[in-house]
Amino acid sequence: YSWELVQKEKPDLIHILDFPYNGETRRDQLMRGKLTENKYHFVRNHGGVPDIEEDAYELEIAGLVKHRVKLSLKDLKDPNKFPQEEVTITLQCSGTRRIEQITQYPGDGDELINAPWSEGAIGTAVWRGVPLKKVLKLACGGVLPECRHLEFIGADTYVKKNNIYNYAVSVPWRKVRQASEEVLLAWEMNGEPLPKMHGAPLRVVVAGYIGARSVKWVYRINALQDPSWGPVQRQEYLYYTPQLGKQNIKFSNGFSIGQMPVSSAIIYPQEKDVIIHDGKIALQGWAYSGGGNWVERVEVSPDGGTVWYAVQPEDMTEKHYHAWRLWKIAVPVEAEGWLEFCVRTWDSSCNTEPTFVRDTWNWELHVTSSCHRIKLYSVN
Ligand code: MTE
Ligand code: MO
């Protein structure tokens, strides 16, 4: 793909990597509202961006299904064939806030990491598409009883140890069968045609799971007994607890990351800002939980985690099971000098965040979900 495409679709991201192209959402855009504008939504790629002609495009569904099928985009978009859904879904890369794991434990695990994400590898959009569950039922006559996983193969290729692979990962069948809104085959993002960078003409959107399972440029789906054998499924997005020790980092010792845990971030102010105030410091940020858990409560501490102030909930009238909540608070502050602020979120399953980065630091530096901490200089 060319730089023209980056300029056209992503004129203003914070660049993380030029090739494969990776960029994160700017702070001001993160805080603009519930929905992230398409052109500001972060991008995470493992390889190039394939150029796929809509008219020639076909999705093949095979493996442990009653009937294998090939569907054109026209078939998929035909409301007489498949019911459509529009769902507000937050996509979060499991690398979000990785920079905290890197800076607090330099040299451990970060040598293999090429994407040092901050707080902006997250975004929310209204996705329109057809539920995979319905497509499997209506077009394929259902999956066979042995089916346990659905593999998604993207048209982009990716080089690993001198071999070329297509991007391929899988999700459990029980996730797909849960409810229609859980796994979509989407062609529209915030009412606009899906941008190339985000997987045009068709992508998978898996609500509540790490972004890596939401395969872009999907052209084949296989119903399988085992998880995908693609290296992204078997060798990446694995969680290695710190207690394993570096010598034990083998693929078989890591577990596959699926659902995103509850996490949050302070977006304004920023680390090391000097704040001149008369008794209150205003903060804002995002809070999100995966697996269909919504954000119930956000708390902010001005003293590193002793005293906590509850954030006044915003937009609690409409529960978005799969979307983040932005939050704002003015915290009373008397002290002057350096203060450590932190945020902690509770979700609808009473899950909350680990206190420190070290609690959940892991060898591949995924899912940084500990209380986000920033130091501010307070001038009263
Ligand atoms: N799908 C394909 N085909 N190739 C990829 O490299 N990256 C995944 C996922 N789907 C990827 C992919 C990862 S790791 C993330 S976080 C999300 O796409 C990011 O989606 P976005 O680029 O639309 O924001
Ligand atoms: Mo990701």
Side-chain angles (χ1 to χ4, degrees):
Y1 66 93
S2 63
W3 271 100
E4 281 91 271
L5 180 65
V6 176
Q7 308 287 253
K8 183 173 151 238
E9 290 194 353
K10 298 288 161 183
D12 221 358
L13 293 188
I14 300 166
H15 280 216
I16 298 289
L17 255 189
D18 288 347
F19 191 88
Y21 180 72
N22 282 270
E24 75 173 82
T25 306
R26 274 171 24 193
R27 282 164 192 280
D28 55 336
Q29 293 300 330
L30 284 172
M31 290 299 101
R32 263 182 67 118
K34 183 144 215 132
L35 301 181
T36 318
E37 248 186 85
N38 291 356
K39 69 174 180 179
Y40 293 113
H41 191 286
F42 85 99
V43 175
R44 166 73 172 127
N45 291 328
H46 287 69
V49 174
D51 209 2
I52 304 169
E53 237 190 89
E54 264 203 48
D55 296 335
Y57 172 83
E58 269 185 338
L59 171 70
E60 185 171 7
I61 309 181
L64 302 170
V65 285
K66 278 221 181 83
H67 321 288
R68 327 167 48 130
V69 288
K70 284 187 175 171
L71 299 166
S72 69
L73 215 55
K74 227 176 117 209
D75 295 330
L76 287 163
K77 288 183 178 176
D78 183 348
N80 296 317
K81 291 191 171 136
F82 305 107
Q84 302 188 2
E85 293 240 7
E86 257 192 358
V87 192
T88 306
I89 296 172
T90 295
L91 267 191
Q92 184 180 11
C93 182
S94 56
T96 313
R97 294 179 48 206
R98 171 178 281 155
I99 193 75
E100 294 160 57
Q101 296 199 49
I102 296 176
T103 52
Q104 293 193 34
Y105 297 91
D108 273 341
D110 57 2
E111 61 279 0
L112 296 174
I113 301 299
N114 58 14
W117 302 103
S118 297
E119 300 84 24
I122 185 167
T124 303
V126 179
W127 302 92
R128 172 180 280 278
V130 286
L132 174 57
K133 179 183 166 167
K134 295 279 162 68
V135 174
L136 289 170
K137 185 163 172 226
L138 297 171
C140 304
V143 301
L144 301 180
E146 310 89 270
C147 168
R148 292 286 176 277
H149 298 270
L150 271 308
E151 177 185 49
F152 310 127
I153 307 182
D156 55 328
T157 52
Y158 144 92
V159 181
K160 191 158 177 153
K161 295 198 181 117
N162 295 322
N163 289 314
I164 297 179
Y165 302 91
N166 279 92
Y167 188 93
V169 293
S170 58
V171 296
W173 161 233
R174 66 180 155 71
K175 169 72 179 171
V176 178
R177 69 184 294 182
Q178 237 176 356
S180 294
E181 64 178 36
E182 303 279 326
V183 182
L184 294 180
L185 303 175
W187 59 78
E188 211 180 273
M189 183 177 179
N190 290 326
E192 291 166 25
L194 189 62
K196 259 192 184 164
M197 278 285 181
H198 291 294
L202 193 76
R203 82 172 298 168
V204 183
V205 182
V206 182
Y209 271 39
I210 59 170
R213 312 285 170 228
S214 292
V215 174
K216 305 193 271 190
W217 315 290
V218 62
Y219 75 97
R220 182 161 174 150
I221 297 178
N222 291 318
L224 304 173
Q225 220 164 351
D226 296 312
S228 164
W229 281 97
V232 181
Q233 179 70 30
R234 299 276 176 148
Q235 306 179 2
E236 295 180 29
Y237 301 99
L238 297 173
Y239 198 93
Y240 302 103
T241 60
Q243 292 75 17
L244 270 176
K246 202 170 194 169
Q247 70 283 4
N248 294 318
I249 306 305
K250 292 182 227 148
F251 303 136
S252 54
N253 283 341
F255 62 86
S256 179
I257 308 171
Q259 282 176 196
M260 209 61 202
V262 58
S263 66
S264 42
I266 301 168
I267 299 302
Y268 290 122
Q270 274 176 261
E271 172 77 5
K272 304 231 165 84
D273 276 354
V274 176
I275 314 285
I276 301 165
H277 62 95
D278 28 275
K280 281 192 169 178
I281 295 184
L283 289 95
Q284 53 179 311
W286 55 254
Y288 169 71
S289 187
N293 294 318
W294 61 90
V295 167
E296 277 291 357
R297 191 177 167 93
V298 180
E299 297 166 342
V300 169
S301 167
D303 59 3
T306 304
V307 173
W308 293 91
Y309 292 89
V311 174
Q312 281 306 310
E314 278 176 33
D315 78 34
M316 268 313 261
T317 44
E318 190 191 357
K319 274 191 178 136
H320 288 284
Y321 292 82
H322 298 297
W324 66 4
R325 287 179 65 198
L326 303 183
W327 55 265
K328 269 187 191 150
I329 188 176
V331 183
V333 170
E334 276 171 24
E336 294 204 73
W338 287 108
L339 301 177
E340 186 178 88
F341 281 78
C342 53
V343 60
R344 154 173 100 182
T345 295
W346 301 78
D347 74 12
S348 53
S349 292
C350 305
N351 294 311
T352 192
E353 300 178 61
T355 312
F356 298 107
V357 168
R358 66 165 180 266
D359 297 330
T360 46
W361 180 92
N362 61 99
W363 290 99
E364 264 202 3
L365 313 183
H366 287 298
V367 286
T368 315
S369 63
S370 52
C371 296
H372 187 213
R373 292 164 185 278
I374 59 167
K375 291 205 171 62
L376 298 178
Y377 196 86
S378 156
V379 181
N380 207 330

